[in-house]
Amino acid sequence: MNMSEMGEVVAYLLRYRSAERAPGSGRKRRAAREGQLSERDVCALIDDASDLEREALRDFLAGQGLRLKAFESGDYPGIAPGSRYYALLPDPDLEQPPLYTREPVFEALKLRQESRAELAQWYLQLWLLMHTLLYTRYNRALSDVSRYQEATFATSELLDLLREQLEALRSLGDAAPEASRALLDERGEDLNRRVRAFIELQARAGLLEAPRETPSDEEGEAGGDIWQQTLLGALESEQVGVHQLGHLQSLAEGRIAESPLPEPEQAAGMEADT
């Protein structure tokens, strides 16, 4: 793998966040596009790289606060026998450079002239509610990565859960947190638009996809109103739980007397930075 090929591999991984040597569950490999390698070629280049080339690739990604992890068929369900699954993940031990921005989050959720803080509140609420559907109702911990194929939900379920959350917030009246009151100003189809924009954002990031039996395009961005967590999404949620939300467990166990919660904008960047 020469420097030019390495650049093409990195460009592919930055776009799709994952690559499989032999995709399972009937997914077709992503074909080559203009200026971009095919999924088959990306996997072949990584598989055939020498130790020095792999080290150079690791160093290149580390400079961007990222690391490439490889998983075999026995590591998680859904990886076909003889296949290998590559996932590009933020490295919690490294700082990510400014080029990974939260702008896609803000642009996706913006309906009018909301402030960045308000849009970050929307992302945080929807992210937490999505994880309620993917984890809490399955009695599943963030560390239960191998159960990612069980984790599905309907768009309508997330919408209903959001409505219930806002009604609960509205019932608090003046006792509602000031930062959250902007969420109560929605009208008409705003909630439906927010939810669909959020789901589309997660699908574009490779964290959700349509179940395999549902017709979808090669990027998993279409396919109806049922959504399934991807292996990449489960791996990233585990990482967020360990490295970004770990202080909440300490707080619940009384080990921290006073611990500030993450700012909403930080929460909005937890999964969208790449």
Side-chain angles (χ1 to χ4, degrees):
M1 180 165 52
N2 58 38
M3 293 300 293
S4 176
E5 291 169 332
M6 184 185 299
E8 291 181 291
V9 167
V10 171
Y12 179 96
L13 292 171
L14 289 175
R15 171 65 183 86
Y16 293 108
R17 299 286 308 283
S18 65
E20 288 184 82
R21 182 194 292 168
S25 305
R27 179 177 74 82
K28 294 181 180 179
R29 273 189 289 242
R30 300 183 184 104
R33 295 182 175 180
E34 185 176 354
Q36 177 186 289
L37 294 175
S38 69
E39 187 171 14
R40 182 198 298 269
D41 290 340
V42 167
C43 291
L45 284 169
I46 300 174
D47 288 341
D48 297 340
S50 66
D51 290 342
L52 285 175
E53 291 167 344
R54 288 174 183 268
E55 184 177 357
L57 178 60
R58 283 195 297 269
D59 290 344
F60 186 89
L61 292 171
Q64 303 174 71
L66 303 168
R67 64 179 171 186
L68 184 64
K69 298 192 70 173
F71 301 94
E72 307 294 336
S73 58
D75 293 330
Y76 291 110
I79 303 177
S83 184
R84 184 174 291 154
Y85 181 94
Y86 292 104
L88 186 65
L89 297 165
D91 192 323
D93 298 323
L94 299 174
E95 183 176 352
Q96 290 187 330
L99 68 93
Y100 299 106
T101 73
R102 301 178 179 94
E103 291 306 319
V105 171
F106 298 133
E107 287 301 318
L109 297 182
K110 190 173 184 178
L111 297 184
R112 289 178 287 278
Q113 296 298 317
E114 303 92 339
S115 68
R116 290 165 64 93
E118 290 172 342
L119 294 171
Q121 282 281 358
W122 276 112
Y123 185 90
L124 178 60
Q125 289 290 329
L126 289 165
W127 188 86
L128 291 171
L129 294 175
M130 179 183 72
H131 279 69
T132 297
L133 295 174
L134 295 177
Y135 289 88
T136 305
R137 76 167 172 177
Y138 290 103
N139 193 27
R140 175 183 173 219
L142 288 172
S143 57
D144 290 336
V145 175
S146 62
R147 295 177 61 191
Y148 73 97
Q149 291 177 311
E150 303 173 24
T152 63
F153 68 91
T155 301
S156 59
E157 291 179 305
L158 183 56
L159 180 58
D160 289 343
L161 201 57
L162 177 61
R163 285 172 174 155
E164 291 175 13
Q165 181 82 354
L166 295 184
E167 283 303 313
L169 184 63
R170 188 173 285 109
S171 69
L172 294 176
D174 293 339
E178 185 175 352
S180 301
R181 292 178 189 174
L183 305 180
L184 302 176
D185 295 335
E186 299 298 275
R187 54 182 180 269
E189 287 294 304
D190 285 357
L191 292 184
N192 186 45
R193 292 166 65 189
R194 299 269 194 206
V195 166
R196 291 188 178 278
F198 174 80
I199 290 176
E200 289 172 7
L201 182 70
Q202 299 296 305
R204 289 202 304 271
L207 308 178
L208 292 177
E209 64 183 353
R212 298 304 181 203
E213 63 271 15
T214 305
S216 62
D217 66 17
E218 65 179 10
E219 297 181 23
E221 294 182 21
D225 287 333
I226 304 297
W227 299 95
Q228 176 179 298
Q229 190 178 40
T230 64
L231 177 53
L232 177 66
L235 291 167
E236 189 151 301
S237 289
E238 178 190 37
Q239 185 166 291
V240 168
V242 171
H243 297 284
Q244 274 84 28
L245 300 180
H247 69 283
L248 294 178
Q249 181 177 355
S250 299
L251 183 63
E253 294 174 354
R255 295 203 302 264
I256 298 177
E258 185 175 349
S259 176
L261 295 178
E263 290 296 325
E265 281 199 24
Q266 292 175 341
M270 284 178 183
E271 296 183 354
D273 281 353
T274 56

